[in-house]
Amino acid sequence: MGRVTEIKHPLILHKLAIIRDKNTGSKDFRELLEEIATLMAYEVTRDMAVEDVQVETPVAMATCKMLAGKKLAIVPILRAGMGMVDGILKLIPAAKVGHIGLYRNEETLQPVEYFCKLPKDIEEREVIVVDPMLATGGSAADAITLLKKRGATNIKFVGLVAAPEGVAHLTKAHPDVDIYVAAIDERLNEKGYIVPGLGDAGDRLFGTK
Ligand SMILES: O=P(O)(O)OC[C@H]1O[C@H](OP(=O)(O)OP(=O)(O)O)[C@H](O)[C@@H]1O
Ligand SMILES: O=c1cc[nH]c(=O)[nH]1
Ligand SMILES: [Mg+2]
């Protein structure tokens, strides 16, 4: 069964409180989401493989550790997932970025695919799927199904706010996928929004409503 980790670091909690505030505008929303993604990446990459390297310091030779060079891909679910990409790239600039475009049909809440462009060697890469919102879990589950169809086997999901329903759906659909979020909220409302949540992440990020 995939692990579910709520990353409750004080810096993340503080920034999340501001991001939830309905009076926070797009500029601050964007900056905070990027910063939180950087902080979350620190935890998400904790198990990355390292290997010994010899480094000559000004004083002596030292046996040090460097990343073992395992290839990584960050895959945002459009649009809102875009807000987390640069924050992770800051720490892992060599990662490739794939894009999966999905929107939720507002009545059925089912995800509809409209775009998919992935690195050619996606099957060889560790994949980090990012989307700030895990509501019903339909979008994340479909994006991961699509990645598996293209051969990806090592996948993590990183979000900001989840509903318990979304966590349950995603762990059932993809028990091999570890989930990292900053908060698991109370519930979904009748319109499929996370309560208390932060509203529509895509619209707040891009100022479209
Ligand atoms: O877990 P789910 O019930 O599938 O809901 C979560 C999805 O809904 C939002 O996207 P939205 O459809 O609003 O698209 P957008 O990012 O373009 O605004 C969000 O960014 C997730 O992708
Ligand atoms: O609360 C929610 C649910 C889905 N998508 C969002 O952006 N917010
Ligand atoms: Mg949206």
Side-chain angles (χ1 to χ4, degrees):
M1 199 57 152
R3 277 173 300 161
V4 180
T5 307
E6 228 178 324
I7 307 177
K8 295 198 165 198
H9 188 285
L11 290 174
I12 295 178
L13 294 175
H14 180 90
K15 291 173 194 296
L16 179 58
I18 304 172
I19 227 175
R20 283 186 192 272
D21 188 330
K22 67 176 186 182
N23 296 313
T24 297
S26 287
K27 176 178 179 289
D28 288 340
F29 193 96
R30 263 197 299 274
E31 287 174 7
L32 287 160
L33 184 56
E34 186 179 323
E35 286 168 12
I36 293 174
T38 304
L39 293 166
M40 292 186 79
Y42 178 80
E43 184 61 33
V44 172
T45 54
R46 187 175 285 283
D47 62 359
M48 278 178 98
V50 288
E51 61 191 6
D52 284 350
V53 290
Q54 298 303 314
V55 173
E56 188 175 0
T57 80
V59 179
M61 290 304 292
T63 303
C64 303
K65 307 265 183 213
M66 287 185 100
L67 291 173
K70 191 107 180 43
K71 296 196 226 165
L72 224 118
I74 305 166
V75 178
I77 301 177
L78 306 181
R79 294 171 300 161
M82 283 302 295
M84 301 181 77
V85 174
D86 287 349
I88 300 178
L89 281 177
K90 267 199 183 125
L91 293 188
I92 319 167
K96 293 252 160 85
V97 181
H99 297 84
I100 294 179
L102 297 175
Y103 69 86
R104 278 199 324 177
N105 177 307
E106 281 178 13
E107 266 124 50
T108 64
L109 300 183
Q110 293 305 305
V112 181
E113 184 190 329
Y114 62 88
F115 188 76
C116 181
K117 179 85 181 171
L118 300 172
K120 275 205 183 69
D121 56 355
I122 191 73
E123 71 283 353
E124 294 170 22
R125 293 183 176 267
E126 282 182 33
V127 180
I128 302 178
V129 177
V130 293
D131 188 331
M133 310 309 282
L134 184 64
T136 66
S139 301
D142 276 19
I144 291 168
T145 299
L146 209 157
L147 282 159
K148 287 183 176 174
K149 277 190 193 148
R150 302 287 185 94
T153 53
N154 186 344
I155 304 171
K156 290 175 175 163
F157 176 85
V158 183
L160 184 63
V161 180
E165 295 90 331
V167 174
H169 181 159
L170 189 53
T171 47
K172 184 152 184 252
H174 298 290
D176 55 310
V177 172
D178 289 340
I179 300 172
Y180 298 84
V181 290
I184 300 174
D185 279 6
E186 286 162 27
R187 62 185 170 88
L188 290 177
N189 69 14
E190 60 292 345
K191 290 185 172 161
Y193 277 84
I194 300 171
V195 181
L198 51 75
D200 187 305
D203 285 343
R204 294 196 62 189
L205 195 54
F206 297 110
T208 40
K209 215 182 257 174

